[in-house]
Amino acid sequence: MAGRSLTRKNIEGRLVEGAWRRGEDIAIRVDKVLMQDATGVPACLQFEQIVKPVEERVDVEEESRDGLTPLLQFEEFGLDEVQVPFAIQYVDHNVLQIDERNADDHAFLRTFCKRYGIWFSPLGNGICHYQFIERFAEPGTVELGADSHTTSGGAMGAFALGVGGLDIATTLAGHPFWFRTPSVVQVRLQGQLEPWVSAKDVVLELLRRYRVNWGIEVAGAGGVMVLEFTGPGVRTLNMFQRMTIANMAAEMNATAMFPSDERTREFLRIQRREDQFVTLEADEDARYDLSVEIDLSSMEPLIACPWSPDNVVPVREVEGTPVAQVCVGSSVNSGYEDMAIVAKVLRGRELPSVGTPQGERLLQLIVTPGSRQITNVLTRKGLTGDLMSVGALFPGSICGWCVGMGGAPASGTNSVRTGPRNFPGRSGTKDDKVYLASPETAAATALFGRITDPRTLGEYPDLGLYDLEDGDFTDYLLMRPLPRKDRSMIGVIRGPHIIPPPRKEELGNTISGEAVAKFGDDISTGSISPDGPNVMGKRQNIGDLAIYTFEKEMPAGEKGVIASKFYNIAMRAKRESGGGFIFAGQNYGQGSSREVAAMVMVELGIHAVSAKSFPRIHRDNLIKQGILPLFISEELYEAIEWRERPEKGKKQLPFVREGQIIVLPRLREELASQGATVTLRIGDHEFHVEHRLNERERNIILAGGLINYLKTQTK
Ligand code: MIC
């Protein structure tokens, strides 16, 4: 037998069903689960629906009295605790607390964790992937997270995957995790990075070469692509550098896998967890689906220009571009060295004055270290002080500006950020222009107020050693699971907005409805269900959340007509035509794992989304909510008529002509009989549309979603 990749070894060690055959479904045991607050609330509410629907809302004041009833129901099912060895819930996304919703959600999650045996990391302790790597990730384990950047765990030699909240809920309820046998791509690293060139540049280089839909191209519909890093260059990268690369593998529709070697041991030793170290690497003759090579020594600083992480050019090509804001840290590049380099470059200097459409002002610098532990080390070494005296803002260890939670740049200004995504409007500003770059480039840019190649700064400063002293650890902030016997009196607190999500019914044989929108390529889940405090804070109530669907793409009041809001269009179609159909180009649903981007479709009566391609997570999320993802042909795409063509030079808006009725006349029959296509009619035209669903996925769609499907399995 040919040698095995590290990914394969790891997965085969946990197989419950199926065998490693590319593209075929397998089920594995999961060791560790992580959730964050923004995706965790729907995940926990669905966990309840799986084990037993909680019919009544328990009011905050009634916590202790009503707390017992649902618990007894869980006990009936033998499920009074989660069924994975380790699960943790973080609060790091919905943190602005602009009204009661965020705080009520935090209380719900805290008490839910207490009740069901889940660890809880409170607001301020750290960003999920950073804190998790520091304290919990282990080489050779399988980690699932309700956050697309869970991929960061690949830095530790774990198989780490971002998934939808419902996958998390089913895992917590004791089901194995089903997915396609991955396609494994070897990324062989040679050489060593030159000073001022960083791990961010390595991942930007991958994005520049292979683009955001690489994973879709390599792994196919529903497939998982793993970038497995090998070669002599790997050992030149420390844990935080590996995390940067693994984090942004998500941007290519992939996850990453690094070997567990001396650098891993070093990190675990610093974290006082050296006993969890094991050496792990691929066999020398491991077989890969594809191999690519990067020579670290020949890399130069790169930057992703607006509005896609793969719109990458060398920094020197955009040097001099004026910048009014620099943000460092958050989801990626929030490690010790990432922060230290900015502090060292700016130490004793002043932030520059920059010209903006709103007049002259000081450049704004926002710094978000990945965890309180990292902040403690920076503070002990005087680096937090350096940044503060320059004037940097410290909102805490939160996702913050990366997902539009504050820090929106002023209109018409450029922002350089070390975050992972720069989709249009994600920062919170409609006409934003966000560039993604390394901390080195960000620091040089902050110094001059214009994009600057950091290699012009001279000698690379000594960043000091990353080490930890007793006082740097923050484990005391974590809430550990209570002993089982003490959980019985714990009530789950539900604020007034928290309600169980809607569910679809079993699929009928014929479905029909109206075409409600037609999009171009690369629509992100952040465009489907928007980022930012107002909308992300409403995920505990899908009915409320649905109102904002596609708000960035189909603004309310387009030409002053309120009915052009997507919500109104879809609700009218649901009422008058029995539902809606969405059409789109390539890579529909890229980016965040937020499954609410599929859940709102249930609320809005959407039957199917037909697109040229889908990234894995969003396609999975649609299927699991019972929404049919179809693969549209160019002919069908063209057959859907726009409401009006734009004037020359203007953007095509996704509005379609009203009254285009779509019928899938034999859907149930066709899916059940395992045909490759389903029939779709528009007026007199008939199309045979590919669904690319495997047997399990077909059954989930037939049942009206994963929760219904699981119920049919346990009957
Ligand atoms: C992101 O980077 O887009 C987020 C914010 O972490 C999301 C999570 C979310 O939408 O809640 C993700 O990537 O999954």
Side-chain angles (χ1 to χ4, degrees):
M1 182 168 113
R4 294 184 302 161
S5 63
L6 183 52
T7 309
R8 178 166 179 180
K9 289 188 197 179
N10 197 337
I11 287 173
E12 284 192 329
R14 283 175 176 67
L15 269 185
V16 186
E17 266 186 71
W20 181 280
R21 271 191 288 275
R22 191 176 171 206
E24 282 187 23
D25 265 21
I26 45 178
I28 54 172
R29 260 181 302 117
V30 174
D31 302 297
K32 303 197 181 213
V33 163
L34 78 84
M35 291 179 273
Q36 41 92 339
D37 50 336
T39 51
V41 175
C44 293
L45 290 170
Q46 291 177 104
F47 172 81
E48 290 180 330
Q49 288 183 330
I50 292 167
V51 293
K52 180 94 186 177
V54 178
E55 307 299 352
E56 286 164 46
R57 182 169 58 73
V58 181
D59 287 318
V60 177
E61 312 72 53
E62 293 175 337
E63 176 209 348
S64 46
R65 183 161 59 76
D66 283 358
L68 264 178
T69 325
L71 177 75
L72 294 176
Q73 291 167 343
F74 279 96
E75 279 180 340
E76 235 175 78
F77 278 70
L79 273 181
D80 61 343
E81 65 179 357
V82 293
Q83 306 290 301
V84 283
F86 178 88
I88 185 161
Q89 169 70 57
Y90 289 90
V91 176
D92 58 0
H93 278 69
N94 275 326
V95 299
L96 294 187
Q97 301 180 201
I98 53 175
D99 62 19
E100 68 282 3
R101 287 179 192 247
N102 288 175
D104 284 355
D105 282 359
H106 303 164
F108 168 71
L109 293 170
R110 186 170 30 77
T111 49
F112 186 95
C113 289
K114 239 182 178 169
R115 165 73 81 72
Y116 298 115
I118 301 173
W119 290 66
F120 179 79
S121 173
L123 170 54
N125 191 39
I127 298 169
C128 53
H129 12 278
Y130 273 90
Q131 211 281 336
F132 188 79
I133 281 265
E134 285 169 344
R135 306 308 296 144
F136 303 113
E138 279 179 70
T141 53
V142 167
E143 295 164 10
L144 287 191
D147 187 292
S148 58
H149 293 117
T150 304
T151 53
S152 308
M156 182 63 90
F159 178 68
L161 210 58
V163 295
L166 185 46
D167 279 316
I168 293 296
T170 50
T171 306
L172 293 178
H175 297 272
F177 174 62
W178 282 92
F179 68 121
R180 303 264 204 283
T181 302
S183 302
V184 186
V185 175
Q186 177 188 34
V187 184
R188 214 180 135 69
L189 301 181
Q190 303 282 11
Q192 184 161 4
L193 293 170
E194 292 292 323
W196 302 107
V197 184
S198 90
K200 180 67 146 227
D201 301 312
V202 177
V203 74
L204 289 177
E205 171 65 8
L206 285 168
L207 276 152
R208 186 186 71 78
R209 285 195 209 168
Y210 305 111
R211 318 307 296 245
V212 286
N213 52 1
W214 194 22
I216 303 181
E217 283 161 11
V218 171
V224 173
M225 176 169 90
V226 183
L227 300 176
E228 191 167 304
F229 290 84
T230 69
V234 170
R235 58 172 177 270
T236 68
L237 301 174
N238 68 24
M239 187 56 66
F240 287 126
Q241 291 173 307
R242 293 177 187 190
M243 267 187 87
T244 296
I245 297 171
N247 175 291
M248 285 187 70
E251 274 37 86
M252 289 167 274
N253 261 298
T255 186
M257 172 73 96
F258 278 87
S260 175
D261 57 11
E262 283 311 305
R263 304 309 293 263
T264 321
R265 185 203 290 274
E266 175 192 321
F267 185 80
L268 285 169
R269 185 186 50 71
I270 294 169
Q271 293 293 334
R272 303 189 188 166
R273 307 198 278 128
E274 199 177 345
D275 55 326
Q276 292 169 351
F277 174 73
V278 277
T279 304
L280 296 172
E281 59 184 355
D283 292 337
E284 258 187 39
D285 58 342
R287 201 187 287 157
Y288 294 98
D289 296 296
L290 188 74
S291 288
V292 302
E293 190 163 297
I294 291 193
D295 177 11
L296 300 176
S297 324
S298 65
M299 303 260 330
E300 64 172 314
L302 298 174
I303 191 161
C305 301
W307 290 273
S308 179
D310 65 358
N311 193 12
V312 175
V313 297
V315 170
R316 60 188 156 77
E317 277 184 22
V318 285
E319 210 163 17
T321 307
V323 170
Q325 184 191 53
V326 171
C327 303
V328 187
S330 182
S331 183
V332 61
N333 287 118
S334 321
Y336 169 73
E337 291 89 355
D338 299 316
M339 301 288 133
I341 184 65
V342 184
K344 293 275 174 163
V345 168
L346 296 177
R347 165 181 251 159
R349 308 290 290 263
E350 280 178 8
L351 292 175
S353 193
V354 289
T356 74
Q358 300 84 14
E360 193 80 10
R361 54 163 252 221
L362 274 191
L363 177 134
Q364 183 178 56
L365 174 66
I366 313 183
V367 178
T368 45
S371 68
R372 183 157 292 193
Q373 187 187 84
I374 295 167
T375 311
N376 287 348
V377 181
L378 294 167
T379 307
R380 178 163 52 75
K381 293 181 187 277
L383 299 168
T384 313
D386 288 341
L387 286 164
M388 283 197 154
S389 31
V390 177
L393 300 170
F394 273 82
S397 289
I398 54 168
C399 298
W401 50 263
C402 172
V403 69
M405 265 323 148
S411 301
T413 62
N414 299 320
S415 174
V416 169
R417 301 173 164 212
T418 66
R421 292 179 175 149
N422 58 348
F423 303 138
R426 179 172 160 104
S427 68
T429 298
K430 275 199 193 73
D431 66 341
D432 64 3
K433 285 191 202 64
V434 173
Y435 292 76
L436 307 175
S438 69
E440 283 79 358
T441 302
T445 300
L447 196 56
F448 299 111
R450 51 191 146 74
I451 294 179
T452 304
D453 188 326
R455 292 174 300 182
T456 55
L457 295 182
E459 205 175 317
Y460 197 86
D462 176 9
L463 301 184
L465 263 192
Y466 168 63
D467 56 2
L468 290 173
E469 292 183 359
D470 286 352
D472 299 329
F473 290 89
T474 63
D475 291 355
Y476 70 94
L477 291 172
L478 292 166
M479 192 187 82
R480 287 156 203 267
L482 292 174
R484 201 164 169 179
K485 63 173 178 32
D486 298 339
R487 292 194 211 130
S488 58
M489 286 308 290
I490 309 288
V492 178
I493 299 179
R494 268 162 242 273
H497 302 283
I498 299 179
I499 62 158
R503 294 235 302 268
K504 273 209 151 301
E505 288 172 4
E506 208 178 69
L507 188 73
N509 196 30
T510 302
I511 57 172
S512 61
E514 219 176 295
V516 287
K518 171 161 123 171
F519 298 96
D521 294 341
D522 297 325
I523 293 295
S524 73
T525 47
S527 276
I528 305 172
S529 185
D531 320 283
N534 292 323
V535 188
M536 273 181 87
K538 294 194 166 70
R539 292 184 184 177
Q540 65 296 91
N541 181 336
I542 300 298
D544 283 358
L545 185 72
I547 295 170
Y548 303 89
T549 309
F550 291 122
E551 198 158 82
K552 286 187 204 164
E553 302 293 325
M554 300 170 86
E558 176 67 27
K559 294 197 176 152
V561 187
I562 193 73
S564 66
K565 191 176 167 110
F566 180 78
Y567 176 76
N568 296 333
I569 296 174
M571 286 314 235
R572 186 197 49 73
K574 184 175 169 183
R575 239 181 5 256
E576 294 173 9
S577 310
F581 289 81
I582 290 172
F583 299 87
Q586 305 281 0
N587 202 16
Y588 172 86
Q590 69 165 331
S592 154
S593 65
R594 62 190 72 169
E595 82 195 305
V596 290
M599 294 168 96
V600 289
M601 299 301 161
V602 179
E603 179 74 21
L604 295 168
I606 302 300
H607 295 303
V609 180
S610 308
K612 293 182 185 164
S613 68
F614 302 88
R616 170 188 57 88
I617 308 182
H618 189 60
R619 178 175 175 277
D620 274 359
N621 287 340
L622 287 169
I623 294 170
K624 284 165 185 163
Q625 295 301 325
I627 313 279
L628 185 64
L630 293 173
F631 286 83
I632 199 173
S633 61
E634 200 54 53
E635 198 194 354
L636 174 54
Y637 188 81
E638 288 305 322
I640 307 297
E641 292 171 30
W642 299 110
R643 191 203 285 173
E644 61 203 42
R645 283 277 177 192
E647 292 156 39
K648 229 176 163 196
K650 279 209 173 155
K651 188 180 167 213
Q652 174 73 60
L653 288 165
F655 301 107
V656 294
R657 183 176 60 73
E658 250 182 50
Q660 301 182 75
I661 299 295
I662 315 280
V663 184
L664 275 67
R666 298 182 290 280
L667 181 58
R668 192 171 182 95
E669 237 169 80
E670 287 170 331
L671 288 180
S673 67
Q674 314 197 355
T677 58
V678 295
T679 309
L680 183 150
R681 281 196 204 127
I682 313 175
D684 298 337
H685 298 279
E686 190 165 285
F687 298 86
H688 297 282
V689 189
E690 268 186 74
H691 56 70
R692 300 188 206 166
L693 300 167
N694 65 20
E695 196 184 338
R696 187 181 145 78
E697 292 168 339
R698 271 199 310 269
N699 288 334
I700 294 173
I701 291 283
L702 290 172
L706 181 61
I707 298 186
N708 297 350
Y709 169 77
L710 291 175
K711 304 259 173 208
T712 64
Q713 299 295 294
T714 49
K715 265 183 201 157

